[in-house]
Amino acid sequence: MRMLLIHSDYLEYEVRDKAIKNPEPINEEQRKGRLDEVLAVFASVEKVDEVNPDEVVEKALAEIKDVAGQVKAERVFVYPFAHLSSDLAKPDVALDVLRKLEERLKEEGFEVRRAPFGYYKAFRLSCKGHPLAELSRTVVPEG
Ligand SMILES: Nc1ncnc2c1ncn2[C@@H]1O[C@H](COS(=O)(=O)NC(=O)[C@@H](N)CO)[C@@H](O)[C@H]1O
């Protein structure tokens, strides 16, 4: 999984059209979302992650906790993003990984939102611009 982590004043999104045949079912309130003072995590789940999705969730969780601790972020926005990798996992595996990551982050005490999966979305982001505000991490399962 490849992640782009942006420490932000806010991240807000609004769902537009479907981007895949069967996007994640969403209700009306999930069509828009916003978090302030947030660590935005743009995540591309990769084909290699299909070997052991649970392991890659735990590794991604560890990286996010590390960065959140450094920038003192208590909120995390998990944002499905298919543009950080040229070797994407298939949508059902990717959605499962991102749902599990969201749940594990909540278990660790973060306030978490996850943007809907499989849709084109408009989004606005305000990066804080400090030295640790823009980071990337790549995690892969050992096997
Ligand atoms: N492996 C993945 N990791 C993260 N998000 C994904 C992944 N696969 C699909 N998505 C989700 O599905 C949306 C569309 O994915 S996409 O690869 O860009 N596009 C498509 O799959 C179709 N447009 C056919 O190419 C992404 O915006 C994201 O919300």
Side-chain angles (χ1 to χ4, degrees):
M1 183 187 319
R2 293 181 187 263
M3 297 183 283
L4 174 63
L5 303 101
I6 307 287
H7 191 205
S8 306
D9 298 314
Y10 67 86
L11 168 63
E12 58 186 12
Y13 75 84
E14 184 169 353
V15 166
R16 292 284 193 267
D17 299 330
K18 290 184 177 183
I20 57 177
K21 203 152 73 53
N22 299 309
E24 173 184 18
I26 56 171
N27 59 35
E28 206 42 42
E29 68 177 24
Q30 287 172 293
R31 296 194 65 80
K32 288 183 181 180
R34 176 185 171 113
L35 275 182
D36 295 305
E37 296 306 313
V38 64
L39 180 60
V41 179
F42 295 89
S44 290
V45 184
E46 299 187 284
K47 187 65 77 188
V48 67
D49 300 331
E50 295 180 3
V51 169
N52 191 337
D54 289 342
E55 184 185 352
V56 84
V57 167
E58 291 306 310
K59 288 188 168 186
L61 176 68
E63 292 296 340
I64 295 168
K65 283 174 68 178
D66 174 52
V67 172
Q70 290 183 60
V71 303
K72 311 250 181 307
E74 295 170 1
R75 299 192 186 101
V76 178
F77 214 128
V78 178
Y79 197 102
F81 200 73
H83 312 290
L84 300 175
S85 171
S86 56
D87 194 18
L88 292 173
K90 51 185 191 298
D92 58 327
V93 172
L95 177 54
D96 187 47
V97 163
L98 296 174
R99 277 179 168 147
K100 283 191 176 127
L101 179 58
E102 175 190 12
E103 280 320 302
R104 291 289 292 113
L105 283 162
K106 286 177 180 171
E107 288 169 4
E108 294 294 318
F110 290 99
E111 181 181 344
V112 189
R113 287 294 300 269
R114 178 172 58 78
F117 184 97
Y119 296 90
Y120 297 115
K121 296 176 286 295
F123 72 88
R124 271 189 288 269
L125 174 73
S126 171
C127 172
K128 286 183 176 291
H130 60 70
L132 295 177
E134 301 165 280
L135 296 170
S136 63
R137 292 285 189 277
T138 298
V139 293
V140 293
E142 238 93 79

